[in-house]
Protein backbone atom coordinates (compact mmCIF):
# COMPACT_ATOMS: atom_id res chain seq x y z
CA UNK A 1 0.00 0.00 0.00
CA UNK A 2 2.92 2.37 0.60
CA UNK A 3 3.56 2.97 -3.12
CA UNK A 4 -0.11 3.88 -3.68
CA UNK A 5 -0.11 6.36 -0.79
CA UNK A 6 3.15 7.80 -2.11
CA UNK A 7 1.66 8.23 -5.60
CA UNK A 8 -1.36 10.03 -4.15
CA UNK A 9 0.74 12.26 -1.90
CA UNK A 10 2.99 13.34 -4.76
CA UNK A 11 0.01 13.95 -7.03
CA UNK A 12 -1.78 16.05 -4.38
CA UNK A 13 1.34 18.17 -3.85
CA UNK A 14 1.73 18.87 -7.58
CA UNK A 15 -1.98 19.34 -8.32
CA UNK A 16 -3.19 22.83 -9.15
CA UNK A 17 -5.77 23.38 -6.41
CA UNK A 18 -7.84 25.83 -8.47
CA UNK A 19 -8.09 23.34 -11.33
CA UNK A 20 -9.21 20.66 -8.87
CA UNK A 21 -11.75 23.00 -7.25
CA UNK A 22 -13.39 24.13 -10.50
CA UNK A 23 -13.34 20.66 -12.06
CA UNK A 24 -14.97 19.26 -8.93
CA UNK A 25 -17.53 22.09 -9.03
CA UNK A 26 -18.33 21.19 -12.65
CA UNK A 27 -18.83 17.55 -11.65
CA UNK A 28 -21.01 18.53 -8.68
CA UNK A 29 -23.24 20.74 -10.86
CA UNK A 30 -23.64 17.97 -13.45
CA UNK A 31 -24.50 15.45 -10.73
CA UNK A 32 -27.12 17.79 -9.25
CA UNK A 33 -28.70 18.41 -12.66
CA UNK A 34 -28.73 14.71 -13.53
CA UNK A 35 -30.29 13.54 -10.28
CA UNK A 36 -32.81 16.38 -10.39
CA UNK A 37 -34.16 15.90 -13.91
CA UNK A 38 -32.86 12.42 -14.76
CA UNK A 39 -30.68 13.04 -17.82
CA UNK A 40 -29.29 9.51 -18.03
CA UNK A 41 -32.60 7.66 -17.49
CA UNK A 42 -34.33 9.83 -20.09
CA UNK A 43 -31.62 9.22 -22.69
CA UNK A 44 -31.55 5.49 -21.95
CA UNK A 45 -35.27 4.77 -21.91
CA UNK A 46 -37.13 7.35 -23.99
CA UNK A 47 -35.17 7.95 -27.18
CA UNK A 48 -34.19 6.21 -30.40
CA UNK A 49 -30.66 4.97 -31.04
CA UNK A 50 -29.55 8.10 -32.90
CA UNK A 51 -31.09 10.38 -30.27
CA UNK A 52 -29.37 8.43 -27.48
CA UNK A 53 -26.09 8.56 -29.36
CA UNK A 54 -26.30 12.32 -29.86
CA UNK A 55 -27.47 12.93 -26.30
CA UNK A 56 -24.75 10.87 -24.65
CA UNK A 57 -22.11 12.30 -26.99
CA UNK A 58 -23.07 15.86 -26.06
CA UNK A 59 -23.11 14.97 -22.36
CA UNK A 60 -19.68 13.32 -22.40
CA UNK A 61 -18.14 15.80 -24.85
CA UNK A 62 -19.27 18.79 -22.80
CA UNK A 63 -17.93 17.47 -19.50
CA UNK A 64 -14.66 16.29 -21.06
CA UNK A 65 -14.02 19.48 -23.01
CA UNK A 66 -15.00 21.86 -20.21
CA UNK A 67 -12.66 19.96 -17.87
CA UNK A 68 -9.78 20.52 -20.27
CA UNK A 69 -10.84 24.14 -20.79
CA UNK A 70 -10.63 24.64 -17.01
CA UNK A 71 -7.15 23.15 -17.04
CA UNK A 72 -5.80 25.25 -19.91
CA UNK A 73 -7.49 28.46 -18.70
CA UNK A 74 -6.18 28.30 -15.15
CA UNK A 75 -2.71 26.89 -15.79
CA UNK A 76 -2.16 29.13 -18.86
CA UNK A 77 -0.69 26.16 -20.69
CA UNK A 78 -0.86 26.41 -24.44
CA UNK A 79 -3.50 24.34 -26.22
CA UNK A 80 -1.65 21.43 -27.91
CA UNK A 81 -0.79 22.09 -31.53
CA UNK A 82 -1.62 19.71 -34.35
CA UNK A 83 -4.69 17.60 -35.03
CA UNK A 84 -4.16 14.74 -32.57
CA UNK A 85 -5.48 16.33 -29.38
CA UNK A 86 -8.67 17.85 -30.92
CA UNK A 87 -9.34 14.57 -32.73
CA UNK A 88 -9.05 12.53 -29.53
CA UNK A 89 -11.13 15.11 -27.67
CA UNK A 90 -13.92 14.47 -30.19
CA UNK A 91 -13.45 10.72 -30.76
CA UNK A 92 -13.33 9.59 -27.13
CA UNK A 93 -16.80 10.84 -26.11
CA UNK A 94 -18.17 9.53 -29.40
CA UNK A 95 -16.71 6.06 -28.80
CA UNK A 96 -18.22 5.77 -25.34
CA UNK A 97 -21.53 7.23 -26.49
CA UNK A 98 -21.65 4.45 -29.09
CA UNK A 99 -20.88 1.84 -26.44
CA UNK A 100 -23.70 3.09 -24.21
CA UNK A 101 -26.22 3.66 -27.01
CA UNK A 102 -26.06 0.23 -28.62
CA UNK A 103 -28.42 -1.81 -26.47
CA UNK A 104 -28.73 -5.16 -28.17
CA UNK A 105 -27.09 -7.64 -30.51
CA UNK A 106 -30.13 -9.90 -30.72
CA UNK A 107 -29.86 -9.97 -34.50
CA UNK A 108 -26.74 -12.11 -34.06
CA UNK A 109 -28.89 -15.10 -33.09
CA UNK A 110 -31.32 -17.08 -35.26
CA UNK A 111 -35.04 -16.45 -34.83
CA UNK A 112 -35.52 -20.18 -34.19
CA UNK A 113 -33.75 -19.85 -30.84
CA UNK A 114 -36.20 -19.82 -27.95
CA UNK A 115 -37.00 -16.27 -26.89
CA UNK A 116 -35.67 -16.62 -23.33
CA UNK A 117 -32.38 -18.10 -24.52
CA UNK A 118 -32.03 -15.49 -27.23
CA UNK A 119 -32.47 -12.83 -24.56
CA UNK A 120 -29.89 -14.49 -22.32
CA UNK A 121 -27.22 -14.89 -25.02
CA UNK A 122 -27.85 -11.36 -26.28
CA UNK A 123 -27.13 -10.01 -22.80
CA UNK A 124 -24.09 -12.27 -22.46
CA UNK A 125 -22.25 -11.23 -25.64
CA UNK A 126 -22.86 -7.50 -25.23
CA UNK A 127 -19.93 -6.71 -22.93
CA UNK A 128 -17.25 -8.95 -24.53
CA UNK A 129 -18.14 -7.82 -28.05
CA UNK A 130 -17.93 -4.14 -27.11
CA UNK A 131 -14.62 -4.81 -25.34
CA UNK A 132 -13.15 -6.36 -28.50
CA UNK A 133 -14.33 -3.52 -30.75
CA UNK A 134 -13.03 -0.83 -28.40
CA UNK A 135 -9.70 -2.62 -28.03
CA UNK A 136 -9.26 -2.71 -31.81
CA UNK A 137 -10.07 1.00 -32.13
CA UNK A 138 -7.61 1.92 -29.36
CA UNK A 139 -4.84 -0.19 -30.92
CA UNK A 140 -5.42 1.56 -34.26
CA UNK A 141 -5.11 5.01 -32.68
CA UNK A 142 -2.10 3.95 -30.60
CA UNK A 143 -0.24 2.78 -33.69
CA UNK A 144 -1.42 5.71 -35.80
CA UNK A 145 -0.16 8.27 -33.27
CA UNK A 146 3.07 6.27 -32.76
CA UNK A 147 3.02 6.00 -28.98
CA UNK A 148 6.19 4.31 -27.76
CA UNK A 149 4.88 2.66 -24.58
CA UNK A 150 2.67 -0.45 -24.30
CA UNK A 151 -0.77 -0.05 -25.88
CA UNK A 152 -3.07 1.62 -23.34
CA UNK A 153 -1.05 0.36 -20.38
CA UNK A 154 -1.43 -3.34 -21.22
CA UNK A 155 1.90 -4.37 -19.73
CA UNK A 156 2.97 -6.41 -16.70
CA UNK A 157 6.32 -4.66 -16.42
CA UNK A 158 7.08 -3.74 -12.78
CA UNK A 159 3.56 -4.82 -11.79
CA UNK A 160 2.80 -6.24 -8.33
CA UNK A 161 -0.81 -7.23 -7.50
CA UNK A 162 -0.47 -7.34 -3.70
CA UNK A 163 -1.24 -3.64 -2.93
CA UNK A 164 -4.43 -3.83 -4.96
CA UNK A 165 -5.73 -6.88 -3.12
CA UNK A 166 -5.06 -5.05 0.15
CA UNK A 167 -7.00 -2.08 -1.22
CA UNK A 168 -9.90 -4.41 -1.99
CA UNK A 169 -9.95 -5.69 1.57
CA UNK A 170 -10.10 -2.10 2.84
CA UNK A 171 -13.15 -1.50 0.64
CA UNK A 172 -15.23 -4.26 2.25
CA UNK A 173 -16.63 -2.14 5.15
CA UNK A 174 -17.83 0.52 2.69
CA UNK A 175 -19.54 -2.13 0.58
CA UNK A 176 -21.25 -3.55 3.67
CA UNK A 177 -22.65 -0.09 4.41
CA UNK A 178 -23.69 0.34 0.77
CA UNK A 179 -25.54 -2.98 0.88
CA UNK A 180 -27.95 -1.50 3.45
CA UNK A 181 -29.09 1.28 1.10
CA UNK A 182 -32.33 0.82 -0.90
CA UNK A 183 -31.01 2.44 -4.10
CA UNK A 184 -28.00 0.09 -4.02
CA UNK A 185 -30.23 -2.96 -3.67
CA UNK A 186 -32.40 -1.78 -6.56
CA UNK A 187 -29.34 -1.83 -8.82
CA UNK A 188 -27.35 -4.77 -7.45
CA UNK A 189 -26.71 -7.60 -7.92
CA UNK A 190 -26.69 -7.26 -11.69
CA UNK A 191 -27.17 -11.01 -11.77
CA UNK A 192 -30.89 -10.53 -11.24
CA UNK A 193 -31.06 -9.33 -14.86
CA UNK A 194 -30.76 -12.96 -15.98
CA UNK A 195 -32.42 -14.80 -13.11
CA UNK A 196 -35.25 -15.64 -15.53
CA UNK A 197 -33.02 -18.26 -17.16
CA UNK A 198 -33.13 -20.37 -13.99
CA UNK A 199 -36.63 -21.51 -14.94
CA UNK A 200 -35.37 -23.11 -18.15
CA UNK A 201 -32.39 -25.13 -16.96
CA UNK A 202 -31.38 -27.46 -14.17
CA UNK A 203 -27.82 -26.08 -14.11
CA UNK A 204 -28.57 -22.39 -13.68
CA UNK A 205 -25.34 -21.78 -11.76
CA UNK A 206 -23.34 -22.34 -14.97
CA UNK A 207 -25.24 -19.62 -16.78
CA UNK A 208 -25.01 -17.32 -13.78
CA UNK A 209 -21.25 -17.84 -13.70
CA UNK A 210 -20.97 -17.12 -17.43
CA UNK A 211 -22.93 -13.93 -16.88
CA UNK A 212 -20.60 -12.76 -14.11
CA UNK A 213 -17.55 -13.50 -16.27
CA UNK A 214 -19.12 -11.58 -19.14
CA UNK A 215 -19.97 -8.73 -16.76
CA UNK A 216 -16.32 -8.72 -15.73
CA UNK A 217 -15.16 -8.00 -19.28
CA UNK A 218 -16.91 -4.64 -19.08
CA UNK A 219 -14.46 -3.58 -16.40
CA UNK A 220 -11.57 -4.44 -18.66
CA UNK A 221 -13.21 -2.15 -21.22
CA UNK A 222 -13.59 0.62 -18.63
CA UNK A 223 -9.98 0.42 -17.44
CA UNK A 224 -8.68 0.14 -20.98
CA UNK A 225 -10.64 3.18 -22.11
CA UNK A 226 -10.56 5.53 -19.13
CA UNK A 227 -7.20 4.76 -17.59
CA UNK A 228 -5.31 3.23 -20.49
CA UNK A 229 -6.56 5.63 -23.17
CA UNK A 230 -7.90 8.78 -21.50
CA UNK A 231 -4.88 9.02 -19.19
CA UNK A 232 -1.92 7.43 -20.96
CA UNK A 233 -2.79 8.68 -24.45
CA UNK A 234 -3.48 12.21 -23.17
CA UNK A 235 -0.32 12.40 -21.03
CA UNK A 236 1.44 13.44 -24.23
CA UNK A 237 -0.64 16.64 -24.24
CA UNK A 238 -1.35 17.40 -20.57
CA UNK A 239 0.94 15.26 -18.40
CA UNK A 240 -0.54 14.36 -15.02
CA UNK A 241 -3.32 16.92 -15.65
CA UNK A 242 -4.99 14.37 -17.94
CA UNK A 243 -6.25 12.66 -14.77
CA UNK A 244 -8.95 15.17 -13.72
CA UNK A 245 -10.75 15.41 -17.11
CA UNK A 246 -10.75 11.61 -17.25
CA UNK A 247 -12.25 11.42 -13.74
CA UNK A 248 -14.97 13.96 -14.65
CA UNK A 249 -15.84 11.99 -17.80
CA UNK A 250 -15.73 8.75 -15.80
CA UNK A 251 -18.16 10.16 -13.23
CA UNK A 252 -20.63 11.07 -15.97
CA UNK A 253 -20.98 7.44 -17.09
CA UNK A 254 -22.29 6.65 -13.58
CA UNK A 255 -25.26 9.02 -13.81
CA UNK A 256 -27.62 6.05 -13.92
CA UNK A 257 -26.14 4.49 -10.78
CA UNK A 258 -26.98 5.10 -7.08
CA UNK A 259 -25.97 8.63 -6.02
CA UNK A 260 -23.23 7.53 -3.62
CA UNK A 261 -21.68 5.32 -6.31
CA UNK A 262 -21.77 8.21 -8.78
CA UNK A 263 -20.06 10.64 -6.38
CA UNK A 264 -17.45 8.09 -5.30
CA UNK A 265 -16.67 7.27 -8.96
CA UNK A 266 -15.14 10.74 -9.39
CA UNK A 267 -12.69 10.23 -6.54
CA UNK A 268 -12.17 6.59 -7.50
CA UNK A 269 -11.38 7.73 -11.02
CA UNK A 270 -8.74 10.10 -9.68
CA UNK A 271 -7.23 7.32 -7.54
CA UNK A 272 -7.07 4.84 -10.41
CA UNK A 273 -5.84 7.55 -12.77
CA UNK A 274 -2.95 8.42 -10.45
CA UNK A 275 -2.01 4.74 -10.15
CA UNK A 276 -2.00 4.23 -13.92
CA UNK A 277 -0.11 7.49 -14.50
CA UNK A 278 2.65 6.38 -12.14
CA UNK A 279 2.79 2.66 -12.97
CA UNK A 280 2.01 2.88 -16.70
CA UNK A 281 -0.09 -0.29 -16.43
CA UNK A 282 -3.85 -0.80 -16.16
CA UNK A 283 -3.75 -4.18 -14.40
CA UNK A 284 -3.68 -2.81 -10.87
CA UNK A 285 -6.70 -0.65 -11.61
CA UNK A 286 -8.42 -3.63 -13.21
CA UNK A 287 -7.88 -5.79 -10.12
CA UNK A 288 -9.31 -3.03 -7.92
CA UNK A 289 -12.25 -2.16 -10.16
CA UNK A 290 -13.20 -5.71 -11.07
CA UNK A 291 -12.80 -6.86 -7.48
CA UNK A 292 -15.09 -4.09 -6.24
CA UNK A 293 -17.64 -4.94 -8.95
CA UNK A 294 -17.81 -8.59 -7.98
CA UNK A 295 -17.85 -7.70 -4.26
CA UNK A 296 -20.79 -5.41 -5.03
CA UNK A 297 -22.55 -8.38 -6.63
CA UNK A 298 -22.03 -10.38 -3.42
CA UNK A 299 -23.03 -7.42 -1.25
CA UNK A 300 -26.18 -6.85 -3.32
CA UNK A 301 -27.14 -10.52 -3.11
CA UNK A 302 -26.59 -10.77 0.65
CA UNK A 303 -28.16 -7.37 1.29
CA UNK A 304 -31.25 -8.43 -0.66
CA UNK A 305 -31.51 -11.69 1.28
CA UNK A 306 -31.29 -9.91 4.64
CA UNK A 307 -33.76 -7.20 3.62
CA UNK A 308 -36.30 -9.84 2.58
CA UNK A 309 -35.97 -11.80 5.82
Amino acid sequence: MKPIFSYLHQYAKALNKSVFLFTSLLVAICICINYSIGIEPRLTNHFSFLQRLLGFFLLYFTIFCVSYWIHFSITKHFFPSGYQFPLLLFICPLLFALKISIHSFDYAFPDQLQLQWKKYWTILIDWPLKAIVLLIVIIVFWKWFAYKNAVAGMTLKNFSPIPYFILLVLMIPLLIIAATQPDFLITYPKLKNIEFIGRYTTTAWRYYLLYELSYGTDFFTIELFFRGFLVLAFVRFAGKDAILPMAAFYCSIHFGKPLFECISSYFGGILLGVIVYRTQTIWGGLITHLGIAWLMEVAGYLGGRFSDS
Side-chain angles (χ1 to χ4, degrees), residues 15-68:
L15 180 64
N16 184 301
K17 303 306 185 289
S18 295
V19 172
F20 175 73
L21 175 64
F22 282 101
T23 304
S24 301
L25 181 60
L26 167 68
V27 170
I29 291 171
C30 291
I31 289 174
C32 289
I33 293 173
N34 177 72
Y35 285 89
S36 296
I37 65 174
I39 297 174
E40 196 277 344
R42 289 173 184 268
L43 288 174
T44 301
N45 300 318
H46 301 293
F47 293 96
S48 67
F49 166 72
L50 289 177
Q51 290 171 326
R52 285 198 306 273
L53 176 61
L54 179 60
F56 278 118
F57 169 72
L58 291 175
L59 173 64
Y60 300 150
F61 182 76
T62 299
I63 291 174
F64 199 40
C65 287
V66 171
S67 297
Y68 268 109

Side-chain angles (χ1 to χ4, degrees), residues 147-218:
Y147 287 100
K148 302 300 182 184
N149 50 342
V151 176
M154 291 189 294
T155 176
L156 291 172
K157 185 179 180 180
N158 301 321
F159 170 67
S160 172
I162 295 175
Y164 306 101
F165 285 114
I166 295 173
L167 191 61
L168 276 179
V169 172
L170 295 177
M171 289 297 298
I172 291 176
L174 293 176
L175 293 174
I176 292 173
I177 295 171
T180 65
Q181 304 304 307
D183 59 345
F184 180 90
L185 295 178
I186 290 172
T187 306
Y188 297 100
K190 295 287 188 180
L191 185 65
K192 60 190 174 186
N193 292 332
I194 53 97
E195 280 184 339
F196 65 87
I197 209 64
R199 297 192 297 271
Y200 304 99
T201 177
T202 57
T203 55
W205 67 270
R206 296 180 181 178
Y207 298 99
Y208 294 161
L209 178 59
L210 278 175
Y211 175 85
E212 289 293 352
L213 293 174
S214 173
Y215 179 49
T217 64
D218 193 44

